[in-house]
Amino acid sequence: MELLNRKEHWENIYTTKKPTDVSWFQVYPKSSMEFISLLNLPIDSSIIDIGGGDSNFVDSLLDKGYRDITVLDISAKAIERAKARLGEKASLVNWIVSDVTEFNPDRQYNFWHDRAAFHFLTTEEQSDKYVKIARKGIQGNGYLILGTFSETGPLKCSGLEIKQYSESSMSAKFEKDFKRIKCIKEDHQTPFNTIQNFLFCSFQKRI
Ligand SMILES: C[S@@+](CC[C@H](N)C(=O)[O-])C[C@H]1O[C@@H](n2cnc3c(N)ncnc32)[C@H](O)[C@@H]1O
């Protein structure tokens, strides 16, 4: 999908659908927050949520006391909705509207999180570009947490084709620059009472 079409798609989703109208909605991002605990992520860590949309991950991080949080999304409307939900607390967060494949990080983060954005990059060229950008944007010894549909998950998300990952295909994609720590599978229950099997893997950037 072309860059412009991709943006149009997501602006349209966030303009026309309520949070509970979309399959990826979660009240609480359980798996993502479990990785934060598992890694004992220090409270002064810098965190970026790639394709964060209007998810409640940022709320959970603020509740835990994290204060160096960035949310990046291709959709300005998604960011506007997240800001509106957070109210005054929105000013505690850095917001970036960008396609991740065009993102040129001007700093490095301790913790890079992505739930269900990376899997839309279905060509090798796009996913290789993402790896390069993540390598630039993550500190040495910093962490990368990726959540995608697993090999038993759906083939589409939001009506768009995605690339499913297994533990080994995801590790192979990142292994040059990142060491795998732990992978888990999650059966995500959608608001429509269907199940989507996710794979989440954590990695640490090699120095
Ligand atoms: C399936 S939703 C997941 C949202 C959120 N991460 C969550 O778990 O609730 C995918 C999100 O990624 C964003 N997205 C899709 N492609 C993107 C890209 N190339 N660059 C940045 N964001 C993208 C969409 O706008 C959307 O918010």
Side-chain angles (χ1 to χ4, degrees), residues 3 6-7 19 23 31-33 53 100 113 121 123-124 163 167 172 178 182-183 189 195 197-198:
L3 282 189
R6 216 187 276 168
K7 182 167 170 68
S23 63
S31 296
S32 305
M33 293 309 289
V100 64
H113 173 267
L121 304 177
T123 67
E124 289 290 311
K163 180 166 168 50
E167 204 170 316
F178 296 90
K182 183 182 177 183
C183 299
Q189 186 167 351
I195 298 291
N197 193 250
F198 271 78

Side-chain angles (χ1 to χ4, degrees), residues 125-148:
E125 192 191 346
Q126 290 168 347
S127 56
D128 286 349
K129 206 166 173 193
Y130 183 104
V131 174
K132 223 168 157 183
I133 293 165
R135 181 172 65 213
K136 182 171 182 218
I138 301 176
Q139 285 193 352
N141 276 337
Y143 299 107
L144 164 68
I145 310 296
L146 269 188
T148 67

Side-chain angles (χ1 to χ4, degrees), residues 95-124:
W95 304 95
I96 300 175
V97 176
S98 171
D99 186 312
V100 64
T101 62
E102 299 291 297
F103 181 41
N104 185 14
D106 58 6
R107 60 180 295 202
Q108 290 194 308
Y109 299 89
N110 302 120
F111 187 91
W112 176 291
H113 173 267
D114 179 327
R115 174 178 180 264
F118 174 68
H119 69 188
F120 291 106
L121 304 177
T122 51
T123 67
E124 289 290 311

Side-chain angles (χ1 to χ4, degrees), residues 15 27 31 59 64 68 78 86 95 98 122 125 132 138 149 152 198 205:
T15 305
V27 175
S31 296
D59 308 49
K64 283 256 177 217
D68 188 349
L86 286 166
W95 304 95
S98 171
T122 51
E125 192 191 346
K132 223 168 157 183
I138 301 176
F149 286 162
T152 58
F198 271 78
K205 190 178 159 191

Side-chain angles (χ1 to χ4, degrees), residues 6 10 14 24 51-53 55 73-74 98-100 115-117 120 157:
R6 216 187 276 168
W10 290 107
Y14 285 106
W24 56 91
S55 106
D73 202 275
I74 196 169
S98 171
D99 186 312
V100 64
R115 174 178 180 264
F120 291 106
C157 182

